[in-house]
Amino acid sequence: MSECVIRDVRLPDHASRVDLLVRNGLIAAIGPRIVTDVRQFSGNGALLTPGFVESHIHLDKACILDRCHNETGTLEGAIASVGVAKMGFTEEDVYARGARVLKKAIVQGTNAMRTHVEIDPVIGLTGFNAVLRLKRDFAWALDLQICVFPQEGMTNNPGTEELLEAALSKGADVLGGCPYTDTDPNAQIRLLFEMATRHDVDLDFHLDFDLDPGWRHLDEIARQAIAFAWQGRVAIGHVTKLSALPPRQLRESVLLMKDAGIALTVLPVTDLFLMGRNRDHLVPRGVAPAHVFHAAGVCCTVATNNVLNPFTPYGDCSLTRVANLYANVHQLSTATELEACFDMVTTAPMQLISRSRSLVVGEEATFVALPAETGAQAIAEIARPSWGMKMGRFSFEQPAARLLTPETVQGHEVETETV
């Protein structure tokens, strides 16, 4: 479809509803009533957003509950069980499971994503090759960024460094790390910064994934980010230790991350599931307070992490649901607070993955329609996206649910009401 007009939609920076003219994949015009004879679609007052951005997910190890189980419910148990399962992974297997997750994400309004892919001598480049295919095959609906990382350590796992180099040479977009599984965490951090600068790629670490505030790797990451002049190109995920800090130390961490230009990604579903397993009452939540960092100007995102595996045995890829869960955990309720949660699954992760999209004339016609008036309402009500467009082409649609009133006769609706 080279040209169409979408009527009666809401834009975040417009006081009243407008029409959008789409031509050749771009937004050609925005106005209160665009006069045109091209094909027309009604937006029914939907709120348009450039789309949800999944900033941290693992496509390669999704949907494997049928073959492995986390016996202890801990982080260590999850790593161990997946470590055994991935010995049987094939490229076709990873591709099929990853495609299943991508389809879920697309209909939930996600049109950009950073996926982490494990690299080590056991799996080699099998998972990476499968996800590289997914990136190509789903480009019609979603921009996929690939972050390769050593889940089970690097200095203690000979051959891993060479495989990471190979993946970066073959097209990996980002380099990740997991210092807490390495026998020499600081050496892994240094080696990864060196590799990132050689390949000119961003870094995204799994970091400080426990509730002991007595030690952490955040300080070393910050030191290296400044030493390598990599500020603004480093992200850290989980960082559950931040949830265990008293106010003064939390403020110090905010300043540290601002100075080092480090972004924070929080994964509330996984963090709630894995943290506090050693407690039998008053179990700590273990979810880092991203909104505190966000309010101070740190780039903060909220993301899914895992889907239907030993790290997270849940998931429908809805980022409004994940953001709503985050708001619930941190008892956020005002419009400002909920708008911040909306930002952490839309604008902020777009910044994190170095993409730029906006709803203005001349920009690409890539957006998602939400049955809501504001982002805050979308988070509060876990709004289910109605439809989406990528580069001027509709990518999915979900008709609104309908109530069938008692007047239904012989299976035919006499009167219905949309919900």
Side-chain angles (χ1 to χ4, degrees):
M1 186 186 308
S2 62
E3 191 170 12
C4 70
V5 64
I6 302 169
R7 300 203 181 278
D8 187 30
V9 292
R10 301 174 190 271
L11 299 185
D13 55 350
H14 285 66
S16 57
R17 300 182 187 187
V18 295
D19 298 345
L20 265 73
L21 178 65
V22 174
R23 181 184 299 130
N24 297 326
L26 302 177
I27 300 173
I30 299 174
R33 184 66 187 176
I34 296 175
V35 178
T36 178
D37 58 0
V38 301
R39 192 172 182 187
Q40 303 183 29
F41 298 91
S42 176
N44 296 315
L47 173 69
L48 294 195
T49 172
F52 293 107
V53 182
E54 179 61 77
S55 58
H56 187 127
I57 198 169
H58 296 261
L59 294 177
D60 57 334
K61 56 190 181 189
C63 307
I64 55 173
L65 289 178
D66 60 337
R67 64 189 81 175
C68 59
H69 178 65
N70 187 348
E71 298 293 340
T72 63
T74 62
L75 172 64
E76 294 75 17
I79 293 174
S81 59
V82 172
V84 173
K86 73 181 176 185
M87 294 179 184
F89 287 3
T90 66
E91 186 174 325
E92 291 306 317
D93 168 49
V94 174
Y95 183 94
R97 291 184 287 101
R100 176 181 168 188
V101 174
L102 287 179
K103 291 173 184 176
K104 287 177 179 286
I106 291 165
V107 298
Q108 295 286 7
T110 295
N111 56 23
M113 175 183 288
R114 173 180 289 181
T115 182
H116 292 253
V117 178
E118 294 188 18
I119 301 288
D120 58 47
V122 171
I123 189 66
L125 298 181
T126 297
F128 170 73
N129 289 334
V131 176
L132 203 58
R133 287 171 53 200
L134 290 169
K135 177 177 180 176
R136 179 195 66 221
D137 293 351
F138 282 85
W140 56 271
L142 178 144
D143 296 332
L144 183 59
Q145 192 179 74
I146 303 174
C147 176
V148 291
F149 82 112
Q151 171 72 83
E152 297 183 46
M154 185 172 165
T155 67
N156 56 306
N157 218 350
T160 301
E161 184 175 352
E162 293 76 11
L163 286 166
L164 289 168
E165 291 273 8
L168 289 168
S169 298
K170 289 186 63 175
D173 305 289
V174 181
L175 181 62
C178 197
Y180 57 77
T181 62
D182 206 303
T183 52
D184 192 342
N186 286 353
Q188 181 189 122
I189 293 169
R190 176 180 53 79
L191 289 168
L192 290 173
F193 269 95
E194 291 173 353
M195 193 182 300
T197 54
R198 284 198 304 273
H199 289 269
D200 191 24
V201 295
D202 292 354
L203 284 162
D204 195 335
F205 290 88
H206 293 66
L207 204 68
D208 294 348
F209 202 0
D210 63 65
L211 298 176
D212 179 3
W215 64 273
R216 67 184 188 182
H217 295 134
L218 170 58
D219 301 280
E220 180 65 12
I221 295 286
R223 190 180 75 81
Q224 296 286 11
I226 294 170
F228 280 88
W230 227 239
Q231 298 99 317
R233 302 193 64 178
V234 180
I236 54 176
H238 295 295
V239 206
T240 50
K241 289 178 185 287
L242 294 175
S243 71
L245 295 180
R248 180 182 62 80
Q249 290 176 275
L250 187 64
R251 287 193 295 271
E252 291 171 354
S253 296
V254 170
L255 294 176
L256 175 69
M257 289 179 61
K258 285 190 70 175
D259 289 343
I262 298 173
L264 171 64
T265 295
V266 175
L267 300 313
V269 185
T270 300
D271 299 347
L272 284 168
F273 180 71
L274 294 176
M275 291 298 98
R277 289 283 181 164
N278 62 333
R279 299 284 294 272
D280 60 7
H281 65 286
L282 290 178
V283 178
R285 297 181 175 104
V287 177
H291 60 288
V292 174
F293 290 78
H294 177 276
V298 175
C299 178
C300 293
T301 73
V302 172
T304 298
N305 191 43
N306 280 289
V307 178
L308 303 175
N309 74 9
F311 291 86
T312 316
Y314 323 110
D316 63 356
C317 298
S318 166
L319 283 173
T320 53
R321 189 185 309 281
V322 173
N324 176 281
L325 174 63
Y326 175 86
N328 218 312
V329 166
H330 282 290
Q331 301 171 328
L332 307 179
S333 61
T334 69
T336 299
E337 290 170 334
L338 294 177
E339 283 290 347
C341 292
F342 186 72
D343 183 68
M344 288 192 284
V345 290
T346 53
T347 307
M350 188 69 71
Q351 174 188 339
L352 176 67
I353 67 170
S354 302
R355 294 287 194 276
S356 177
R357 289 183 187 152
S358 56
L359 299 173
V360 298
V361 173
E363 290 291 316
E364 66 178 65
T366 297
F367 37 76
V368 170
L370 298 170
E373 295 184 10
T374 64
Q377 182 188 355
I379 298 305
E381 299 183 9
I382 313 180
R384 179 173 174 255
S386 304
W387 52 266
M389 178 173 277
K390 177 78 156 58
M391 292 296 293
R393 177 189 177 279
F394 284 102
S395 54
F396 75 93
E397 65 175 353
Q398 298 190 92
R402 294 187 300 168
L403 294 178
L404 304 183
T405 64
E407 288 77 14
T408 300
V409 178
Q410 295 181 347
H412 298 286
E413 301 93 330
V414 174
E415 180 182 348
T416 64
E417 179 183 350
T418 58
V419 181

